Structure formats: structure tokens, C-alpha cells
Amino acid sequence: MTAKTLLDDCFLHDKDRLRHAEALEILKSRLTAITGIETVRLEDALERILAEDLTAPRNVPLADNSAVDGYAFRHADFDEAGGFFRLQQRVAAGHASNTLLGPWAAARIFTGAVMPPGSDTVAMQEDCETHVQDGENFVIVPQGLKKGANCRKAGEDVAEGASILQSGQRLRPQDLAAIASTGQPDVQAYTKLNVALISTGDELRRPGELITVGDVYDANHFLLRGLADTVPVNIEDLGILKDDEDVVEGTLRDAAAKFDIILTTGGASRGEEDHVLHALDRLGNRHMWQLAIKPGRPMMFGNIGSCVFLGLPGNPVAAMVCFLLYARPVISVLAGGPFLEPQAFPLPAAFDIPKKKADRREFYRGFLQTDEHGRTCAQKFMRDGSGLITGLREADGLIEIPEDVTHIKKGDTVAFLPFSGFGIR
């Protein structure tokens, strides 16, 4: 556990059922990072959240260099020499030349090699002709080259002192390449949060165990463990909790003393066997519950002491939707990153919804298809049951329908949220 805690009034509101946008605004305004900082070697920094602003300590590249294999020369001599240059030197990558390139002279140069002093332009080798005259080597350079052709200038990629990355960014492979290009071997990154993952329900069994009528395999554990890989956390599996009030309460109490975040699935409603909800009320604070969305209405946010509590519904579709929309951005901010929101793409609908309940935002599993006019459209999975994992597997993303929309006709514009925008490969 870290010593830091959430803001005192995190998640507080005074409404029985929050709209989607209201819930997001509360989370954005109340969340704060609860993690520490550590030095991480660059080779171990992939997907970590940066805890410092980075600027370039030097130019990248450090010096002017050739972008091709060819011949370097002074462009000022180009017209006067008629493209006929004496070969004066040879420059390979990693072996900079200190010899000033004389008038009407050229240097054989290779990709990445530092431009010899005095040169400013490179002709590609395949466009040139070599020539020997009186025992001396010459090169004939084609006309029409502009000054600076095929030459990469010092600082062309990044200038000394320029900003490279900002604190809070999650490090991608291309970000690591940018850091490495400046010569920095390590970075300051936020420490990974420790998350307890808990499934609940007498009916649950883990794959490999025998089941009987009434039992189901615990798919949510593997779903959420995979989704948690989209944020930098350490996951510990606390297993499946039986529907026993004392067991649930005791497990949550112990976990809150050890972990930064507790992530549960199931037991989020108000039924007699939904012990997670009641245990949270006795042990800590339930600040958000009952959202005006479908699926995922019984989504819980709260805390037990300094431990953040996220209670997801038990149905797989609802669990995934709630993780992507709420738990993922919450965990990101707590871990030192930004509040993650996907980009929505407006697309014509390839489906009809004759009637939709007002005042509720709905999220359908959707996939992309091409209509008869060659347009990319959003198609809805044919069945809407929140227990149907098939829809999640076949979908490319979510289709978001706002509260004020009460029906959809084919061709209407809808918002499509691709799974890739949630970090899902």
C-alpha cells in the first residue's frame, strides 16, 4: 500500500442514479494519483506511466548526416563545376571526418555518416557516375539537386531543449525510442498499483473444475485480468468468494489493508445474496452506485480506508463495459496517468432500434461493415443480453446511444467507440 489516499470527497454526489456524463465529471474532478515514483531502466519501461517531463539534452541527430549512400559535396560549387567533382575522401557511419571538403570536391559517404566539413548536399549513388582521369577518381553528379538534398540536419528530429514527453504519459515503443535517441538510460515512472481481483458467487467455478447444473465457469476473472493489462498495475487473484456475509466482509477488510485497489465482480445489486454491497457499506463508504446506463447500472465506487473500491456487475458484458468506461480511467488516474476516454467516431447505423428508454445511455456491442454504397457503417450485435460473451468476441467496439435518443433508424449517425481506443489489441 502507498501512504497517499484519495481526496476526502472523492466520488461524492447527491443523486440516486447518475447519468454517464455526470459520473465521468465527478470522477475527473475528484480523483488524484495515489502512487509513488521509482527509477525504471528503459528496457523495463514499456507501458509504464512517466513521472517526469523529459526534454532533449542534445540535438537528435547530433550532427548533420547523410540520409542515403552517395556523394557529399558543396552545393555552391554545383553550377560552376557542372556536376563534375574530384573524390577527396570516404566517410562511413561512426567515423566522422575532420577534413574540410575542398572546392569542386566530393566525399563518398554512407547512410548515417556525418557530413564532412564544408559539405551540405548529397547525391544518391544510383544517380551518379564514377570516372577515372589521369589516375584520379571523379564523380559526375546529376543536375537539378537542391541545396541540402538527402542531408539530415542536426536537431532535425528533436532540437536540444525541446520537450519530448510529459509526466503522466504511458510509454509506448516509439516513446522509448525517442528517449533512447537522447542517450537517457532510465526514466522516473510511477510505481504500479497493487490490485486485488475478486470474483463472487456460489455458482462460480474455475476452468478445470467439475461443474454441475446451476454452476458456471468464472469467465469474468480472465476477462478483467486481460483488461487490467491496459493499465499498469500488479494484479493478485484472491479467488472466488462464496455468498457468505462473513467471508465477503472479512476478505474485503483484509484486502483493504494490503492493496491500493479492490476490483470485484458480482454482488453489486441489492439482493439478499449480494453481500459485496452490504460489506462495503459496513467497512467503508459507497460514494457512487446505480448509474443510468445499460448495461452496468449497479456499478459501485467507494473506499475502505485508503483503499479504492471498484465493484463491477456480474454479467460479463456489463463487467467489461463498466471496466472500460469507468474502472480503467479511474485506475489510470490513481496510477499517475490521464483520465482515459476513447475517441468516438460518427458512423451511419446499419440497424434499427424502434424504441429505446429515455434518460438512459445505452452501449451496444458493435462491429464495422460496408453498406451497398461502400460506406463504413456500425452494425449492432443481434442479441443484447449482458451475459453473452459471443457479442464481446465478435464486436469491434461499442455503439453509444445518448439519453435523449429514443429510437434509431438505419442511416442515423451513431457514435462508435472502437475497442482499440480502450487499449485492447
Side-chain angles (χ1 to χ4, degrees):
M1 285 289 295
T2 64
K4 298 181 180 180
T5 61
L6 291 174
L7 299 178
D8 290 340
D9 56 354
C10 178
F11 308 135
L12 291 179
H13 69 94
D14 58 1
K15 297 183 66 174
D16 291 335
R17 187 171 296 174
L18 284 174
R19 287 192 170 198
H20 173 65
E22 293 173 327
L24 293 181
E25 286 306 312
I26 289 175
L27 297 176
K28 289 178 186 177
S29 64
R30 307 302 188 189
L31 289 167
T32 184
I34 61 170
T35 182
I37 297 174
E38 62 182 350
T39 300
V40 179
R41 296 287 298 176
L42 208 54
E43 54 264 35
D44 300 319
L46 182 64
E47 305 293 348
R48 297 295 297 271
I49 295 178
L50 191 64
E52 61 179 334
D53 294 335
L54 294 181
T55 57
R58 55 185 63 83
N59 285 330
V60 180
L62 193 58
D64 295 356
N65 67 89
S66 178
V68 298
D69 292 343
Y71 299 90
F73 60 94
R74 303 191 321 177
H75 194 272
D77 297 332
F78 195 43
D79 294 333
E80 299 175 31
F84 195 77
F85 292 88
R86 181 181 72 258
L87 275 175
Q88 185 187 65
Q89 53 182 297
R90 182 180 186 275
V91 187
H95 302 277
S97 170
N98 294 320
T99 303
L100 180 67
L101 198 65
W104 305 289
R108 178 73 168 108
I109 196 167
F110 299 91
T111 303
V114 174
M115 297 286 287
S119 65
D120 55 23
T121 305
V122 178
M124 297 177 65
Q125 65 179 14
E126 53 263 44
D127 296 332
C128 300
E129 293 182 19
T130 57
H131 178 70
V132 179
Q133 182 176 316
D134 299 330
E136 192 171 6
N137 292 317
F138 292 84
V139 62
I140 301 173
V141 176
Q143 296 293 317
L145 281 175
K146 294 182 179 180
K147 183 178 180 179
N150 302 311
C151 175
R152 295 185 290 221
K153 304 296 290 183
E156 180 179 274
D157 189 7
V158 181
E160 180 179 348
S163 174
I164 301 176
L165 295 164
Q166 288 74 49
S167 177
Q169 290 187 242
R170 193 172 184 192
L171 296 174
R172 304 166 298 170
Q174 55 266 47
D175 299 324
L176 299 184
I179 299 169
S181 72
T182 70
Q184 183 165 325
D186 51 46
V187 295
Q188 295 296 297
Y190 287 105
T191 54
K192 290 185 177 183
L193 296 177
N194 295 314
V195 177
L197 181 56
I198 300 173
S199 302
T200 66
D202 286 345
E203 74 281 10
L204 294 182
R205 300 290 182 272
R206 285 289 169 85
E209 298 179 353
L210 295 176
I211 63 171
T212 58
V213 175
D215 295 336
V216 294
Y217 284 119
D218 183 14
N220 280 1
H221 169 79
F222 299 92
L223 172 68
L224 296 176
R225 195 176 192 108
L227 292 174
D229 280 342
T230 66
V231 282
V233 296
N234 296 314
I235 291 284
E236 185 169 331
D237 176 22
L238 297 193
I240 299 171
L241 300 188
K242 296 298 183 182
D243 291 323
D244 182 284
E245 181 178 344
D246 293 334
V247 170
V248 171
E249 185 170 336
T251 301
L252 295 185
R253 182 188 299 108
D254 293 343
K258 179 182 178 183
F259 294 91
D260 300 300
I261 299 171
I262 296 174
L263 180 63
T264 67
T265 174
S269 297
R270 205 186 281 277
E272 291 183 8
E273 298 298 328
D274 292 322
H275 300 297
V276 175
L277 177 73
H278 304 302
L280 175 61
D281 288 344
R282 289 190 293 270
L283 295 172
N285 300 288
R286 171 165 50 92
H287 302 302
M288 283 179 62
W289 184 59
Q290 295 292 315
L291 305 180
I293 68 167
K294 180 184 178 181
R297 184 179 71 183
M299 169 78 199
M300 289 187 290
F301 297 89
N303 70 285
I304 301 174
S306 61
C307 179
V308 178
F309 182 88
L310 298 169
L312 306 182
N315 285 318
V317 177
M320 181 167 176
V321 168
C322 285
F323 183 92
L324 296 179
L325 297 178
Y326 309 112
R328 183 171 180 263
V330 165
I331 295 172
S332 176
V333 174
L334 297 176
F339 192 92
L340 299 172
E341 291 186 272
Q343 182 177 359
F345 295 90
L347 292 175
F351 57 90
D352 295 304
I353 299 179
K355 185 177 181 180
K356 170 193 163 290
K357 185 176 181 180
D359 298 322
R360 182 175 69 189
R361 186 161 302 211
E362 299 189 356
F363 295 89
Y364 298 94
R365 288 146 287 173
F367 53 92
L368 303 178
Q369 64 177 208
T370 303
D371 68 7
E372 62 272 18
H373 305 293
R375 300 179 303 172
T376 299
C377 298
Q379 179 60 277
K380 183 175 75 71
F381 186 66
M382 66 182 71
R383 294 174 292 165
D384 299 327
S386 60
L388 302 176
I389 300 175
T390 301
L392 294 176
R393 181 171 51 81
E394 295 187 1
D396 299 316
L398 300 176
I399 299 171
E400 181 177 2
I401 309 298
E403 291 85 354
D404 58 349
V405 175
T406 56
H407 65 278
I408 295 290
K409 293 187 300 182
K410 185 177 180 180
D412 287 350
T413 299
V414 295
F416 185 78
L417 284 59
F419 283 148
S420 59
F422 293 102
I424 300 174
R425 299 180 182 90

